[in-house]
Structure formats: structure tokens, C-alpha cells
Amino acid sequence: KAGVTQTPRYLIKTRGQQVTLSCSPISGHRSVSWYQQTPGQGLQFLFEYFSETQRNKGNFPGRFSGRQFSNSRSEMNVSTLELGDSALYLCASTSQTGNTEAFFGQGTRLTVV
Amino acid sequence: AQSVTQLDSQVPVFEEAPVELRCNYSSSVSVYLFWYVQYPNQGLQLLLKYLSGSTLVKGINGFEAEFNKSQTSFHLRKPSVHISDTAEYFCAVSGTSGTYKYIFGTGTRLKVLA
């Protein structure tokens, strides 16, 4: 069974640009969550999608957005990038069968210069 | 609201010695508890989880944790560590209502010394 796949693994962007990150969950998983990991703030929840609907949202500005497609693949977008957006962005997928374990991808390392 | 406190940011320990990584949580509702491990430039891998039942939970790689409701703790232990256990360890909680929002602690960096 393939794991959670995040693309790309590494990105370098310039301040003011926008970026889109992609996450393919484990087959059959319908919940996808996104987290931002930085040395200063640790792991912070961004949002969770289930069946193309955002169910939960963390405390991030509106520049951070996401969506989920009918095949459960998810994308997150960050507009007007700031230096502080440099981080490892992790995606996690979860089955809805009662096992609440979240399976994480390897992450996308975003560097804003 | 929920929160997780990992009291130790770094724990050095000699190889084959026992180790305990501490985790305390705060929540007004029932929670599920998790320990994840992260190796450099990798995602998170689940070590173990407590959902219900026995308070002593055994996980992968010889790790175990004990859920203590009265002390709101979920400490991670291993009786004998190996060099390969060097990594960052995260404690996390989630609510039991079915939405998968995890609150993570700040992490404990375990360094196993030869």
C-alpha cells in the first residue's frame, strides 16, 4: 500500500510569489490534514479536509488556503509569500474506519528568499 | 481547547540505557494520545497510540507509554536505547469527536551516545 505522497519535496520561492503544494493520501483515506513545522513554532495545524469540505481550520492568515478533489488528493496554496512562511509542510491522511492514526508524508520543504 | 507540554527539549542518554520522554496534556474533553518519531528530513512515523482500554500501550521499536488520566500524562519509555533511536519525538492529542486535528507538543530531541 503506497504511503502519503507529497510533491514537490523541496521548493525555493521569492517573497511575494505564490506556491501550491500537493498531497496524495493513502488509497481509501478521505481525510487530509496539513501542518506547518518550523523550529520556532513547532508543528501547527493548518486545516483538514474531508470529502472535499474543509472541516477544521487552524489559526493562519487567509493567505493560506487549501482544497480537496473528488479523488481525495489535496493541495494547499500560499499567496504573497513571506520569509516567515519558510517551513516544512506536512500532509497527513486518515482513514474513517475508527482507527484515528494519521499517516504523514515526507513533507515539502519550502524556502522563501 | 487542548494543549500538550513536553518538558524536555533535549535528552541525552547512553546506548543501552533506559529512557523516559515526558508528555503532559490539558483538555476539557476526552482525547486520544499519540507518540510520533521524526528522523531528519522525514515526515512523522507513529510509535504508538492510546485510544481506550489498557493504560499501558506498546508500540514499535520496543517503545511503550502509560496513560495516566489523573496526572494527565502520557510518558514514553524504552528500557534500552540504541544509536538508531536518535531522533525527535512528538507527543500529540486529538479529540475523539471524529475530526482529525492533532495538537502537538514542541518535541523532545533524543540523542543516544555511544
Side-chain angles (χ1 to χ4, degrees):
Chain A
K1 198 170 181 180
V4 178
T5 303
Q6 292 189 245
T7 56
R9 287 291 312 277
Y10 301 92
L11 265 178
I12 300 176
K13 289 286 188 179
T14 304
R15 269 183 305 174
Q17 287 186 312
Q18 67 93 27
V19 66
T20 299
L21 314 181
S22 178
C23 172
S24 294
I26 291 171
S27 177
H29 286 195
R30 293 163 63 192
S31 170
V32 174
S33 302
W34 289 89
Y35 293 82
Q36 181 195 65
Q37 185 178 23
T38 59
Q41 300 297 317
L43 280 151
Q44 292 188 289
F45 173 79
L46 279 156
F47 26 66
E48 184 220 350
Y49 285 88
F50 176 76
S51 292
E52 303 178 65
T53 300
Q54 188 181 88
R55 280 204 302 199
N56 263 306
K57 189 176 190 311
N59 190 24
F60 279 82
R63 299 185 297 107
F64 291 82
S65 63
R67 59 177 175 169
Q68 187 180 33
F69 302 96
S70 58
N71 62 358
S72 293
R73 190 177 72 84
S74 177
E75 290 181 345
M76 69 163 280
N77 184 278
V78 187
S79 62
T80 319
L81 284 165
E82 301 177 359
L83 295 179
D85 297 333
S86 295
L88 180 67
Y89 290 88
L90 292 165
C91 165
S93 79
T94 310
S95 165
Q96 291 294 105
T97 59
N99 179 346
T100 62
E101 172 186 351
F103 294 83
F104 284 81
Q106 292 192 301
T108 294
R109 171 76 62 186
L110 171 65
T111 302
V112 182
V113 297
Chain B
Q2 295 148 357
S3 65
V4 177
T5 302
Q6 291 183 247
L7 295 165
D8 306 301
S9 59
Q10 292 190 67
V11 173
V13 61
F14 285 104
E15 195 173 16
E16 297 183 10
V19 70
E20 179 180 82
L21 305 183
R22 297 179 292 171
C23 172
N24 288 86
Y25 70 93
S26 172
S27 177
S28 57
V29 299
S30 297
V31 295
Y32 296 142
L33 293 153
F34 307 84
W35 276 99
Y36 281 86
V37 60
Q38 185 177 36
Y39 300 99
N41 295 316
Q42 298 293 318
L44 302 175
Q45 180 185 8
L46 181 72
L47 281 175
L48 46 79
K49 61 189 175 188
Y50 173 79
L51 305 182
S52 65
S54 172
T55 57
L56 182 62
V57 180
K58 293 192 183 295
I60 63 171
N61 300 341
F63 284 94
E64 65 180 31
E66 185 149 23
F67 170 58
N68 187 318
K69 189 174 182 179
S70 62
Q71 297 187 10
T72 60
S73 68
F74 191 54
H75 301 331
L76 181 70
R77 301 185 185 98
K78 187 170 182 178
S80 175
V81 295
H82 191 266
I83 294 286
S84 60
D85 292 323
T86 295
E88 189 141 23
Y89 293 78
F90 292 92
C91 181
V93 301
S94 76
T96 62
S97 63
T99 57
Y100 304 125
K101 174 182 176 180
Y102 281 40
I103 304 299
F104 284 89
T106 50
T108 297
R109 191 173 300 275
L110 175 64
K111 185 169 176 61
V112 181
L113 309 168

